[in-house]
Amino acid sequence: MLIKKPSDIKSYEITPESAYFNRRQFMKRLGQAAMLTAGSGWLTACAEENGSAQAQSIAKAKPVSLVSTEGVKQYPAPKWLKEKFPGRKIWSDSTHEELTPYEDVTRYNNFYEFGTKKGDPAKHAGSLITDPWSVTIDGEVEKPGTYTLEDILKPHDFEERIYRLRCVEAWSMVVPWVGFQLGDLLKHFNPTSKAKYVAFTTLNDPEQMPGLKLPFSSIEWPYVEGLRIDEAMNPLTLIGVGLYGKTMPPQNGAPLRLVVPWKYGFKSIKSIIKISLVEKEPPTTWNKSAPNEYGFYSNVNPNVSHPRWSQKRERRLPSSLFNPNYVETQLFNGYAEQVAHLYKGMDLAKYY
Amino acid sequence: MIKKLKPIWFLLALSPAVYLVYLIITNGLGPDPAKTVVEFLGIWALRFLWIALSLTPLKLITGNGQFISIRRMMGLYAFFYVCLHLTAYLLFMLGLQWSNLWEDILERPYITVGFAAWLVLLPLAITSTNKMIRRLGKKWKQLHKGVYLAACLAALHFIWLAKSNLLEPIVYLTILILLFALRFIKKTSKAKTVVADN
């Protein structure tokens, strides 16, 4: 965001809407100011992290740092967790597409436990108590148990990765996540050879989550999602603990969530309290609610029609009304190189 | 009183559209403005259709015939918002890609039903002039019963559209059923009174 690539400059130059233009100019100036004040600090930090020989790739993959967080409720993360953020590694394979602004990533959310409207989670998720937090690991693992957040997160170094996020509703974002590989977490608990799938469960507490009290919901709570074990072990699959260099806001799934960039957004379950390694494909929330619409795999695929939204293209947010930011949807959300082998020989129209 | 205030009703019914223009100018539509605009216009189309349908039952209950004096205006406002809703969908969601329109109409049931509702309302709007009312005579009344079909299709469109929480569509559906029931009860009781009088 701070160093503009030619394509980015082009996109704002052709945007006629003055307000949109002004905001980008403002963001750019903000970025320039940040470069002047904090730039040298980053470069030193990055050089220490990656070695000075990679100076060029460092310049591209520098940490996302300065964002306006005004008005966005911050997750009251414990001190030990906050302290882990500055030392995060920067992933060199991050997408260099223009980031979706922090205020949009944190104010435009699907988190039905806090309401079904996009603005509801940001409004209501402040009531989520995220500290203390614990996660139960059970099923086919040698070290099952209920662990505190600190037990879960402490052994892992954090990494910043910029991923595309594609919602099945045909909008998309580019988000700088902070997290670590799910595979690394799972290995910690020694899955047995019987572990073929991983099931995740979200907190289910109507006292903290007003959306759970709404009548006439076709969703069975708690929210459950799942992955096949090889999908879970894929290096792209993250446990997200923050975004934009900061701890995760509750509406985005504090304190820890899943991030699976080649699948539709609803697979990336939020505010996880349980991780179960299981032998059979776990029943998942949206699949149970409308099996003709949401499959277990839910890989982003422009060639598989959906009864609600055309999947051929998406609106990259922020989008403007008269100059919409349409993007052609890519197979596996553009991560085919890393994940296509997982589905070799599978009919993706059948296993959607 | 209702009749006298006609210009007020006209301006009030226009105000959601004015508010939307204000939101567009001030960039107040959020990060996904296309969706916001289409949903805003859709819900107001539904509301005006329901308002138009409530005027006859209101007359039947209160005995005040003046409610009918704004029925055409409210019906046309419903059609106005339906047209804007459809236009916004074509323009902002589809980006005028006509091949995708056919895909949507054929493959997505809620769009099929919504489009059908617009098709049903179209001839009603065209025949809403005094001249057409006179020219069509009894047929006009028959034709305009199509509004009940359009309302049912609109309700179905809204229910089908809901992803998980049916609370809002159920509220609208309940009101619609209530409005239909009121007409039916009042009409049958009126018919009975007429029979009794004889």
Side-chain angles (χ1 to χ4, degrees):
Chain A
M1 177 191 261
L2 303 177
I3 294 179
K4 294 275 172 181
K5 290 196 305 154
S7 62
D8 296 331
I9 290 163
K10 215 159 105 201
S11 83
Y12 83 65
E13 275 178 354
I14 58 167
T15 304
E17 214 177 351
S18 65
Y20 193 55
F21 178 78
N22 285 342
R23 185 173 61 172
R24 293 198 173 195
Q25 282 288 78
F26 172 74
M27 292 301 282
K28 205 179 154 193
R29 280 197 206 115
L30 213 65
Q32 282 162 351
M35 296 268 277
L36 287 172
T37 55
S40 57
W42 292 345
L43 284 176
T44 341
C46 291
E48 276 162 15
E49 213 63 72
N50 300 321
S52 54
Q54 297 170 0
Q56 223 179 345
S57 77
I58 291 163
K60 268 200 272 173
K62 59 184 167 29
V64 174
S65 172
L66 196 91
V67 285
S68 158
T69 55
E70 214 179 300
V72 178
K73 219 168 218 165
Q74 290 298 299
Y75 159 48
K79 203 168 152 249
W80 64 264
L81 180 53
K82 281 182 182 160
E83 281 168 358
K84 281 176 75 83
F85 276 73
R88 67 193 186 276
K89 279 188 276 184
I90 310 303
W91 194 48
S92 54
D93 285 352
S94 285
T95 172
H96 299 296
E97 287 159 273
E98 191 167 348
L99 301 182
T100 299
Y102 184 78
E103 61 262 37
D104 294 337
V105 175
T106 52
R107 286 184 192 159
Y108 194 83
N109 306 101
N110 277 333
F111 197 166
Y112 281 15
E113 284 83 340
F114 297 103
T116 52
K117 293 201 165 66
K118 295 285 180 288
D120 286 344
K123 254 184 244 164
H124 305 306
S127 57
L128 184 69
I129 300 161
T130 49
D131 181 26
W133 189 270
S134 57
V135 180
T136 301
I137 316 272
D138 64 10
E140 303 296 337
V141 283
E142 283 171 21
K143 294 193 271 182
T146 297
Y147 299 90
T148 65
L149 189 65
E150 192 165 7
D151 288 338
I152 297 273
L153 302 185
K154 258 270 163 87
H156 303 281
D157 290 330
F158 292 169
E159 192 175 13
E160 181 166 282
R161 294 189 182 191
I162 303 172
Y163 280 160
R164 289 175 289 273
L165 170 82
R166 170 60 153 81
C167 180
V168 68
E169 296 166 347
W171 53 266
S172 64
M173 292 180 173
V174 178
V175 185
W177 300 106
V178 178
F180 56 95
Q181 293 181 19
L182 171 66
D184 290 344
L185 181 141
L186 295 180
K187 278 176 210 157
H188 232 78
F189 300 94
N190 298 351
T192 71
S193 60
K194 280 187 184 167
K196 300 278 187 270
Y197 292 89
V198 192
F200 304 87
T201 309
T202 299
L203 181 71
N204 178 22
D205 181 1
E207 289 308 304
Q208 297 179 50
M209 301 170 140
L212 298 175
K213 293 181 189 166
L214 291 173
F216 305 113
S217 170
S218 67
I219 291 185
E220 242 177 82
W221 308 108
Y223 197 93
V224 173
E225 257 308 336
L227 296 172
R228 214 168 56 192
I229 191 80
D230 56 346
E231 296 178 321
M233 299 310 258
N234 187 281
L236 278 189
T237 310
L238 281 200
I239 285 287
V241 294
L243 49 89
Y244 267 98
K246 297 176 177 298
T247 49
M248 195 71 77
Q251 62 270 31
N252 293 85
L256 79 169
R257 64 169 291 170
L258 192 65
V259 184
V260 196
W262 73 93
K263 290 177 182 284
Y264 292 121
F266 64 88
K267 290 296 284 184
S268 293
I269 188 169
K270 293 172 171 142
S271 303
I272 298 165
I273 57 157
K274 195 166 107 177
I275 300 174
S276 308
L277 287 109
V278 290
E279 259 189 281
K280 288 192 179 122
E281 186 184 292
T284 57
T285 296
W286 281 108
N287 184 233
K288 277 201 284 184
S289 162
N292 61 324
E293 294 188 27
Y294 314 101
F296 174 79
Y297 286 95
S298 291
N299 292 314
V300 175
N301 191 339
N303 309 316
V304 175
S305 178
H306 187 281
R308 253 160 220 278
W309 310 275
S310 175
Q311 299 301 342
K312 287 174 186 157
R313 59 175 190 173
E314 61 209 54
R315 299 185 300 283
R316 177 63 52 78
L317 306 188
S319 185
S320 96
L321 201 57
F322 296 103
N323 188 19
N325 205 0
Y326 289 128
V327 177
E328 296 294 314
T329 292
Q330 300 176 68
L331 182 62
F332 299 117
N333 203 19
Y335 300 97
E337 212 179 297
Q338 294 95 322
V339 300
H341 67 274
L342 298 171
Y343 310 101
K344 227 175 167 182
M346 277 174 75
D347 179 359
L348 293 175
K350 195 178 161 204
Y351 297 98
Y352 55 90
Chain B
M1 203 51 184
I2 295 162
K3 208 170 178 178
K4 269 191 189 159
L5 292 176
K6 249 179 155 175
I8 302 284
W9 306 129
F10 183 88
L11 289 175
L12 271 179
L14 191 64
S15 61
V18 174
Y19 178 60
L20 184 65
V21 171
Y22 165 80
L23 285 179
I24 291 171
I25 293 169
T26 57
N27 233 347
L29 293 166
D32 196 0
K35 190 177 148 81
T36 313
V37 166
V38 171
E39 283 181 358
F40 179 94
L41 291 166
I43 198 72
W44 279 105
L46 202 70
R47 284 172 189 164
F48 277 103
L49 195 54
W50 267 224
I51 289 171
L53 284 165
S54 69
L55 297 169
T56 304
L58 278 172
K59 185 198 92 176
L60 292 171
I61 294 166
T62 60
N64 185 347
Q66 280 197 40
F67 281 107
I68 303 305
S69 65
I70 58 168
R71 194 171 62 177
R72 170 164 61 185
M73 187 204 287
M74 291 302 155
L76 282 172
Y77 258 115
F79 186 69
F80 168 68
Y81 284 104
V82 172
C83 286
L84 287 180
H85 173 62
L86 177 64
T87 309
Y89 155 75
L90 291 173
L91 213 62
F92 304 136
M93 298 286 251
L94 280 182
L96 293 176
Q97 290 195 342
W98 300 107
S99 59
N100 288 3
L101 173 66
W102 283 117
E103 189 199 291
D104 268 356
I105 290 176
L106 295 174
E107 291 183 20
R108 292 174 240 293
Y110 72 93
I111 290 180
T112 320
V113 165
F115 197 75
W118 176 76
L119 282 179
V120 172
L121 287 175
L122 184 64
L124 310 196
I126 292 170
T127 58
S128 65
T129 59
N130 286 335
K131 223 175 166 181
M132 282 307 249
I133 295 170
R134 269 197 307 273
R135 194 187 288 174
L136 289 170
K138 268 187 180 172
K139 277 187 213 152
W140 188 90
K141 217 173 173 184
Q142 281 300 115
L143 178 69
H144 280 249
K145 279 184 179 160
V147 73
Y148 304 129
L149 174 64
C152 291
L153 290 170
L156 188 60
H157 175 65
F158 196 32
I159 292 167
W160 235 330
L161 188 66
K163 227 172 109 187
S164 74
N165 194 285
L166 293 171
L167 179 60
E168 224 184 330
I170 282 176
V171 168
Y172 279 86
L173 184 66
T174 310
I175 294 170
L176 185 68
I177 292 169
L178 203 74
L179 291 177
F180 283 168
L182 281 171
R183 268 168 217 266
F184 185 73
I185 293 164
K186 275 288 168 184
K187 269 193 183 159
T188 42
S189 67
K190 212 163 102 189
K192 267 185 200 155
T193 349
V194 176
V195 174
D197 283 352
N198 286 346

